[in-house]
Amino acid sequence: RRFLLYAPTFREKYRKDGEVDRRTNGYYIDFSGLLTHVRQRFGGEWVILMRQHPRLRDIEIDPIPSNADIIDVTRYADIQELLAAADCLVTDYSSCAFDFMLTRRPVFLFAADKDEFEKERGFYYPLENTPFPLACDNEELMKNIDFFEEEAYLKKVKYFLKDERQRPDFS
């Protein structure tokens, strides 16, 4: 079995006066579609490891689908061990993407609330300048998985890791 780690980052709006604000669509990923597409594109049996941000571990945003192929690993203490075990990562704005990139395994960005998040917190790099395929909705994420080109991805990772003055613009 292969593992896809889904690790979205923290959003401030989930903590509003101690209550959960569910207005953002940043966590509404299509788990069923995700499983179907990674299985078709990469082959084999896949399991999704879902890890909410540690600051959200005691808040149930939306229940994780009851499915033997989706495991809630939110309470697992060490994300580095989860990254080491994963064959693929889907995240939004989490810095774990840059840690995982060092494995040269695929990273996909699911940034459904990109504009809103950028206004609220900002980014270190424009997402378009990272080597990661960027999707702003579930349909685009599935297409990015379907048409993922490992050789092109590895080339982008190599250039991204070079000195910033030599880094090409991937947009």
Side-chain angles (χ1 to χ4, degrees), residues 22-134:
R22 298 174 186 269
R23 289 177 296 176
T24 187
N25 64 353
Y27 285 165
Y28 296 105
I29 195 162
D30 176 2
F31 287 105
S32 176
L34 194 54
L35 278 169
T36 297
H37 287 265
V38 295
R39 286 171 176 164
Q40 288 173 353
R41 170 60 186 87
F42 298 110
E45 282 302 309
W46 285 78
V47 173
I48 294 175
L49 305 176
M50 166 58 183
R51 186 172 194 271
Q52 292 184 45
H53 192 278
R55 290 177 66 185
L56 297 176
R57 81 172 42 129
D58 295 324
I59 297 176
E60 185 176 306
I61 294 173
D62 277 325
I64 293 171
S66 178
N67 183 323
D69 294 328
I70 303 169
I71 302 169
D72 183 356
V73 294
T74 299
R75 296 199 180 282
Y76 194 87
D78 190 348
I79 192 165
Q80 294 302 320
E81 290 181 4
L82 294 172
L83 292 170
D87 296 288
C88 179
L89 173 68
V90 175
T91 188
D92 43 20
Y93 320 110
S94 175
S95 62
C96 73
F98 297 99
D99 295 338
F100 193 75
M101 172 180 58
L102 299 174
T103 69
R104 307 303 197 265
R105 291 179 235 152
V107 175
F108 295 94
L109 299 183
F110 178 63
D113 57 347
K114 177 183 171 283
D115 294 337
E116 191 176 324
F117 191 91
E118 187 169 20
K119 286 177 195 170
E120 183 180 307
R121 302 209 23 214
F123 299 117
Y124 290 115
Y125 299 99
L127 296 181
E128 296 79 9
N129 291 355
T130 68
F132 315 127
L134 173 63

Side-chain angles (χ1 to χ4, degrees), residues 3-18:
F3 298 106
L4 181 150
L5 177 61
Y6 175 51
T9 196
F10 178 73
R11 286 168 176 74
E12 200 63 47
K13 64 177 39 201
Y14 279 115
R15 295 273 197 160
K16 189 173 185 180
D17 300 324

Side-chain angles (χ1 to χ4, degrees), residues 111-164:
D113 57 347
K114 177 183 171 283
D115 294 337
E116 191 176 324
F117 191 91
E118 187 169 20
K119 286 177 195 170
E120 183 180 307
R121 302 209 23 214
F123 299 117
Y124 290 115
Y125 299 99
L127 296 181
E128 296 79 9
N129 291 355
T130 68
F132 315 127
L134 173 63
C136 292
D137 59 40
N138 279 293
E139 183 179 336
E140 195 173 11
L141 175 62
M142 303 314 156
K143 284 181 184 175
N144 286 345
I145 292 168
D146 292 344
F147 296 106
F148 179 76
E149 295 179 18
E150 184 176 14
E151 189 175 315
Y153 172 74
L154 292 173
K155 186 176 181 180
K156 288 178 180 183
V157 167
K158 178 182 174 182
Y159 283 116
F160 188 84
L161 293 172
K162 284 187 172 198
D163 182 5
E164 189 170 294

